[in-house]
Amino acid sequence: MQRALQPIILRFLGSLAVVAAIIATFRHLHVNGTTVALSFLLAVLIISANWGLTYAIYTAVLAAAALDYYFLPPIGTFTIADPQNWVALVAFLATGFVASHLGDRARREAAHAVRRRHDIERLYSFSQQLLASDNIVGLLNTLPQHVCRTFGCEAAAILVTGRTDIYRSDPNTRQIEADQLRAVAARGEPIVDAKNHIRYMPLRMGLRSVGAIGVAGGELSGQTLEAVGSLVAVAVERAGAVENLGRSEAAREGEKLRSAILDSVTHEFRTPLTSIKASATSLLSGGLEPAQRQELLTVINEESDRLNELVEEAAQMAKLEASQIELHLEPHPIREAIDRAIEESQRQVAGHPVEVLVPAELPQVRFDLDRIKEALNQLLENAGKYSSAGTPIRVTAEKKDASIVFSVADRGPGIDDFEQALIFDKFYRGREQRYRVQGTGMGLAISKAIIEAHGGKIALTSQLGHGSVFSLILPIR
């Protein structure tokens, strides 16, 4: 209480000191009463502009009394002999009151303008924070903290129509009642709880209420809180729209992917089946030379093997995803896995010189030899299929930190940035290559699943027109 009264008392004493200073200055200078009156009036204006109406009126009364006592004859008394001096004194007092009122109003309007400017700056800052997230749940979780941090509130809570959760700045604080938030959201009208210094405002989108916000403490004006509610409503609707758009886009892309998968798998299974059917029909028709019969039987045998490989890849992918494959981890030289993979990929890399660069000092690594060989085999097969005939394929291995990196580099067409994020997905095949080169799109997915089962990862570096480098990164155990 004493601290609250102290500045008030000091200002009253300051006003008295100003009047006393003017008296002391002009009493011995023998100036006329007009000069003194104007000096007192200037003091009243300055005090009104800085301290307010109460102090200005107090100063005006003191100044009128001092003017009468010290400067209007008979001096030294509060008696005024000349009627003109009465008129002057009343005019001075009236002018002091009017000037006090005008100065105080100017001060209040200036303070109000400053507050409005601060509110606008804070609203702008708040609106920028609302644009930081397109995820509606993440946005609602952070919004109450943004409100408290930006506007200096004790607590804030937000309710969005259609959601059961109430999002609070502090989960442990329950001073903002959930029932009040629901009532405000339903009616679309604000509520003020003056006793607890809590205000509730609907989140309006035009005439439609999409929720409610409750704020405890702080110095938000009604207009500012209404603007906050509108900004929050717009942000929530925007985040919801972006989320729905994302789901729609994901569904559309998923449908396209399913169509591409179905087309790829159908094409891959139909090709060997067509060859087998045509060869069998020719054999059944009879009248063929032994060499022709042998050629058709060879086609049936090769296409049956290819069909069996397709089925085996699909089954293996399913087992890898279900973690149903047991790894037989044993120490092996790096070169052993590479040599076996190249040996089994002779048919796929035919027509390509294969360069192998493996330092002799590389340590042995614990891995499942058959699985790592299979992962490398998939990379070699892809390099052979997608590279022009005669271009070299380079296989390297090196130690990086605590890992061994197997790399297969080709001189193929390369993969653009967009497809690099999709190339390891099941059944995905490059847009430019899916109809030119046979395949199911499972090879890289199998390699990825195998290397991840070993605790490693697969990586890709590619440049359009210059080829690709696929790397299997295997931790040293």
Side-chain angles (χ1 to χ4, degrees), residues 107-166:
R107 183 184 64 82
R108 284 188 284 107
E109 288 180 353
H112 178 70
V114 170
R115 284 196 302 270
R116 295 295 295 171
R117 178 172 64 83
H118 287 164
D119 286 345
I120 291 172
E121 290 174 351
R122 290 188 294 182
L123 284 171
Y124 174 75
S125 174
F126 183 65
S127 67
Q128 294 299 106
Q129 293 171 349
L130 294 181
L131 298 175
S133 176
D134 291 333
N135 179 277
I136 189 168
V137 175
L139 177 67
L140 290 173
N141 280 322
T142 57
L143 264 177
Q145 288 91 345
H146 287 330
V147 172
C148 292
R149 186 164 52 249
T150 304
F151 299 99
C153 305
E154 296 175 9
I158 293 175
L159 168 71
V160 176
T161 304
R163 292 179 177 269
T164 57
D165 293 336
I166 294 178

Side-chain angles (χ1 to χ4, degrees), residues 279 292-304:
S279 300
Q292 293 175 320
R293 290 174 59 85
Q294 184 62 35
E295 181 181 352
L296 292 176
L297 289 171
T298 301
V299 169
I300 292 174
N301 182 58
E302 290 179 351
E303 294 301 328
S304 297

Side-chain angles (χ1 to χ4, degrees), residues 344-364:
E344 293 192 11
S345 304
Q346 286 298 323
R347 183 171 61 87
Q348 289 86 355
V349 298
H352 296 275
V354 179
E355 303 174 5
V356 180
L357 299 174
V358 179
E361 66 273 10
L362 286 180
Q364 290 191 354

Side-chain angles (χ1 to χ4, degrees), residues 456-475:
K457 60 181 180 179
I458 191 168
L460 165 64
T461 303
S462 185
Q463 185 178 2
L464 288 176
H466 297 276
S468 305
V469 179
F470 288 89
S471 300
L472 303 178
I473 304 171
L474 194 65

Side-chain angles (χ1 to χ4, degrees), residues 42 164 326 338 361 453:
L42 180 61
T164 57
E326 182 180 353
I338 294 175
E361 66 273 10

Side-chain angles (χ1 to χ4, degrees), residues 88 98 148 227 243 316 421 474:
V98 171
C148 292
E243 200 171 75
Q316 185 176 6
L474 194 65

